[in-house]
Structure formats: C-alpha cells, structure tokens
Amino acid sequence: MKDFKSLGLAEPLLASLRQANYAAPTPIQAKVIPLVIEGSDLLAIAQTGTGKTAAFALPVLHRLAKDRRAAPHGGCRVLVLAPTRELAAQIGESFRVYGRHLGFAVATIFGGVSPRPPRQALARGVDVLVATPGRLIDHIRAGDAKLDKTEILVIDEADQMLDLGFVRDMRRIVSELPLRRQTLFFSATMPAAVSRIAAAFLNSPKRVSAAPIGTTADRISQRVIHVRGDRKRACLDELIAANNGARTLIFTRTKRGADKVAQHLATSGLRVAAIHGNKSQNQRERILKAFRNAAIDILIATDIAARGIDIDGIQHVINYELPDVPEAYVHRIGRTARAGASGHATSLCGSSERRQLREIEKLTRQTIKSEVHTEGVSETGTLTAQAAQPAPGKPAPKTKQAATGKSGSNGHWWERATPKAQRGKSAPHGRRRSARATAP
C-alpha cells in the first residue's frame, strides 16, 4: 500500500498528516493526489466518507506551496464551492488543519453569519476561499470578490449542487474565472445533468472512481422496514431502544418533520436535537459540536442541513422518511461507516414511499434486505421481521395488493399479485390510511 510520502506531498503537509495520525491514503486519495499535483483537470466519483476532502485539499496545498506568490487583493488563488454552509465550514477547517505549517490564508463565505469578516479577508487577498454559491454571488455583485486571478476551482458534491438549484449560480461564478485554470469536480453520483455540467466546466479531465456510480459503502449493513405511516413513531422508538444509546443520525424530508421527531424522542428523556435550515448558523454549529462531543446521542436532520456532518462514530443512520431524490440516499447513509468503521442504515418505508424505494434500489443496483414491522421487538432486542400471526380463531391477514396490480420482478412482498376478490379491500398494514398518515 502507498504511503503519503510516496505520493510526492511536501514535507510540511506530511508533518500535518502525522499530527492528525493519518497513516496511509484511502483509495480515492491515492488515485487523485498525483493527478492534481501534475495539474490535470479531474472528474472524480467518490462516496461521502471516503476521504475525498483530503484528496483535493492536500495536493491543492502542495501546488500552492511549490508556487508561492501573493494572493490577489479582492480575490483568491483557490476557490472551493460547496452546497451548504456546514460543508463549507468543514472544508475550510480541513484546509487549515492540513496547511497549518504553510501559513496560507483560508476564508469561508456562507449564509447565516456576518459578511464583514470574509469581505475584509478578500480585501487583503486569500489563498483558499471556500464558499456556497449563493452567498459568493452576493459578494461578486457587491464588488467584494474578484475571481479573475483564481488558479484552481474545486466543485465538491456537484450532484447536491444541482439538487439544490445552484446551476445558474455555478455558471455565473465560472464565467468570472479565467479560462486557463485547473478544475476539480467531485460528485458521489453522476446523473445526466451532472455529466452535462462537468463537460461544460472541465477541459480534457482525467476520470477517477473509487466505486461504481451510485454504490454504497460495503461496510454499511442496510435494511428497509415496511411499516404503516401511523406506526412509524412506534417503530422508531423500538429502533432507538435496540440501539442502546449508540450515536444515531435520523433523516426526515422536512424541517417541520425534524422538529416533531425531535420533540417526540425528547419526551422519552433522550438526548436529542434537530438541525435544519431554520436554525441560525450559531445554533447549527452548537448542535453539531454537541453531537460530535457526545453531549447528545441522537441528531435529526434534513438533507440540506446534514451536508458537512463529517463526524466519526455515527453507528446508525435511520431514514424516518425516504428521500424524494434517490441520490440523497447514498449521501445520507454515507454519514456512517466513516474512516474505515462499519455502520448500519435502516429505512422506514410507508406504502406511499415504495416508488422512492424502487428508485433507490435501481440507482444502487441492489435489493435492500426488507422486513415488516409487527409492533414489537424480539427478546434479542431486534425488530421482529415476520408478518404478525393471527389471533386464535381469527383469519390470517390477506396478501398485500401490488401497486401495479401485476406480479413484481424483484421479489418484494408488496409486488405479488392479489386475487381479484381481495382487490380494493383494506390491507393489513393500512395501505389507504398511510398515504395520509405519513410521519409527522
């Protein structure tokens, strides 16, 4: 296996890595670092949690160190674009940690904080600027940020940029950059829209993939639990009890849903907090710090707020609601099994969410192990996976009707054909009701 020294990194960077106890590069780092050092444009497919921030930060700092020059007043030598403020803050901190022996100026620009500090930093000139697109556009319009002398552009989590509607902002920012530059493009997934953007921004890029597009980390055990919408809270309670206080990250689709789940769990005396776009930047930073320091055990998050949650030791990810965009599933469960650890991802699927599940399985090219919630835990503390047994003298529950009315091709229990006589009748797990009673 290669070590960082064999990748050609400068000694001050190696010293920082030793201080951080980084022994050997991850596969994506071993592939990316030499290509960035040689100056190539790069298109990289890398799952979250694979060490991709270091994969671009280390060689970028190496290039700056080998070609020292004053940062341009009002601008930057390196621009890194990230989809959310949490991720931007995390990347900025990584550049500071890895470059601690190099003395480079690093600044961040994102919403929720005063624009004055980054404005002052830009006036002096910064070596590395990490920004969210929307807030950077504000500084460009105000005349605070000039990008015509930028040497390297890094776009991180490009698929999330598109999901959040940043395409126009990204094009505007790129139009401010010199044509002659190095561009590094990172994405966990590569839908067609991302491919088109990459083709427009990159010049004869080298392509690197740490895993096939859309794959999930092998170290994550995945399962889906089919549950009535009005039983999701009870199912969640059982999951949390079975986790025995392990650090857990729960995803909801909406901010209101995150708050309601947090309030529900808090009534049981659990140490829990919610993080989403309605929280101020200071609140979000305090919550993340508490979660990182184990002051809280359970964090409920929306997809946007969860970007940048780069915290080791998250053992369980629970999708309380499945995401509408299948690529978000890859990002969500990638919050566990980081830094070589293993993790568990459990998704609660109501009857109205089966389409999302099929799209996730199509993207990840796998059939996720499925169970049926039966309102209880076994003696070993794991959810009972079998269908509920009928009470004495009661008929067995009828087979669920397929959503299409046809026999399914992937073997899921809900896609089996249902006899005509049973169609239109109530299903045992409340199919009709759960469309209205999905969680909070």
Side-chain angles (χ1 to χ4, degrees), residues 170-239:
M170 290 168 65
R171 292 187 183 278
R172 166 68 192 279
I173 291 167
V174 170
S175 73
E176 301 283 332
L177 298 168
L179 292 176
R180 194 172 178 182
R181 65 176 189 271
Q182 182 180 22
T183 303
L184 313 177
F185 197 94
F186 288 81
S187 186
T189 60
M190 190 55 63
V194 175
S195 296
R196 289 193 293 270
I197 291 292
F201 292 173
L202 299 167
N203 180 27
S204 302
K206 300 290 179 64
R207 294 174 179 264
V208 171
S209 179
I213 297 171
T215 58
T216 53
D218 293 336
R219 300 182 307 276
I220 303 173
S221 65
Q222 301 172 63
R223 64 171 171 167
V224 60
I225 299 174
H226 298 281
V227 57
R228 276 173 28 185
D230 62 346
R231 292 298 303 166
K232 275 197 175 185
R233 285 190 179 182
C235 185
L236 179 64
D237 290 342
E238 293 160 12
L239 284 171

Side-chain angles (χ1 to χ4, degrees), residues 95-176:
F95 270 96
R96 294 184 185 98
V97 170
Y98 301 142
R100 67 181 72 183
H101 301 299
L102 293 171
F104 291 131
V106 179
T108 54
I109 291 178
F110 46 76
V113 296
S114 169
R116 186 173 180 179
R119 183 184 299 129
Q120 293 172 336
L122 282 168
R124 296 188 296 269
V126 296
D127 296 289
V128 179
L129 177 64
V130 186
T132 54
R135 187 47 59 96
L136 178 57
I137 291 288
D138 292 342
H139 282 270
I140 292 173
R141 287 173 177 159
D144 302 330
K146 299 177 179 62
L147 306 178
D148 58 317
K149 292 183 172 58
T150 301
E151 303 164 37
I152 301 173
L153 168 66
V154 181
I155 299 176
D156 193 20
E157 301 204 353
D159 50 353
Q160 292 298 300
M161 293 275 204
L162 268 66
D163 288 344
L164 297 176
F166 285 136
V167 176
R168 184 174 297 179
D169 287 346
M170 290 168 65
R171 292 187 183 278
R172 166 68 192 279
I173 291 167
V174 170
S175 73
E176 301 283 332

